[in-house]
Amino acid sequence: MKTDIEEKVKEVELVIQPAQVKGELETILYVPISDAGPSSGYRRFAPSWLFGITVILPLLVGFTYNFIIASERFVSSASFVVRESKNGGGIAAMINGGGLGRSDENSYAVSEFIQSRDAIGSVNYDEFVSKMYGADGVDMFSRFPGLFAGSSKEDFYKHFQHYVDVDFDVGTGITTLSAQGFSAEEAKELVRRLVKASEELVNALNTRAQSDATRFAESLVGESRAALEGIQEQVTAFRNENQMLSADAEVSVSSGLISGLLEGITRVDTEIAQQLASAPNNPRLTELKLRRTALVEQLDKLRRELAGGNNSIAKKLELFETLTIKQKIAQTNLISAEAMLMKARQDSATDKLYLDTVVTANSPDKFGYPQRWLNMALILFIGFSTFVIVSSIRDLIMEEG
């Protein structure tokens, strides 16, 4: 048997001849499979483990949550527009839609209110929202209070925002409100309460604006009336103290007296001239000169009383005219305040905000969330993308190593 094997080996001879090469050849080291170490086995099965972690495991977790754990959430929506009445009539009112127009700034205010803490207090007055989130059938991720949602008021506010969405269309001025509930009736009731709270906010804005304008006008009227009454008291006291009814009357009387004295002096001068011309020695000439002297003294006295010194009529007239000007200004202010008050009361009856409902809250007949198959498709896409990226990075690192 051994001889047969040796003969077969002699028949097949292997001849190794050296080849002509340039340069030097590096020695090739052969490592037995048994000495390769445990890493070769890990590398062989690494792609399978990576695929399981990045693709299979997320799919299993996503399937468990979406089809077993997640509670069905129904979505109800409503639409409304905030309008304001505008003053004016006739053609202008017809162009503006009967005196009503959009109020975008108030629409933004309503949108902010719906997503605020005040809105939660308005719709949760009877613990409706708290009971809805804390019901027994709600899953652990949607329950409040819970391990993932927290238990504080701030956590409740953030949790509430996840289930309410508000969108304002700048082009049409329509605000669309959507809310999620764990039953169709709960979603509809939540939307109805939010719309009602928004309408109450608009009414409160109306009341606040009207009361503020009216209150300011009334306070201005009261201040103007008090100022006028104070100035009138000063005018009355001045008249009683100086025995002056009015500046015009006082000037008229003083002017009349001066005119009379000047006329008397003129007549006396005429008589004196006649006496000097006809009878210079007439005893009546002395009487005329005495009369003229008295008239001149009376005129000088009257002029001094009329102008000159702090007790003169001119000084009194200056003070009186100052009070009269203040009185007229106070009267004008009172008239303006009364007109402002009247306008504020008219505006309170005409200028108002309205929340008109375009689409009422609906009662959905099918749940909207979770979108199970869409979520699974996204999980598959993300997981497979992660697997490809990680595999490429791993292969690149191993090649460089």
Side-chain angles (χ1 to χ4, degrees), residues 2-18:
K2 182 177 180 181
T3 303
D4 296 337
I5 294 174
E6 291 177 352
E7 291 178 355
K8 291 181 179 180
V9 171
K10 290 179 180 180
E11 292 177 359
V12 181
E13 294 182 355
L14 296 177
V15 180
I16 299 176
Q17 296 180 355

Side-chain angles (χ1 to χ4, degrees), residues 7 10 41 44 51 55 92 95 101 108 119 136 152 296 315 318:
E7 291 178 355
K10 290 179 180 180
R44 179 182 300 177
F51 186 81
V55 180
I95 294 175
Y108 282 116
D136 295 335
S152 64
V296 171
K315 188 64 176 179
E318 179 183 357

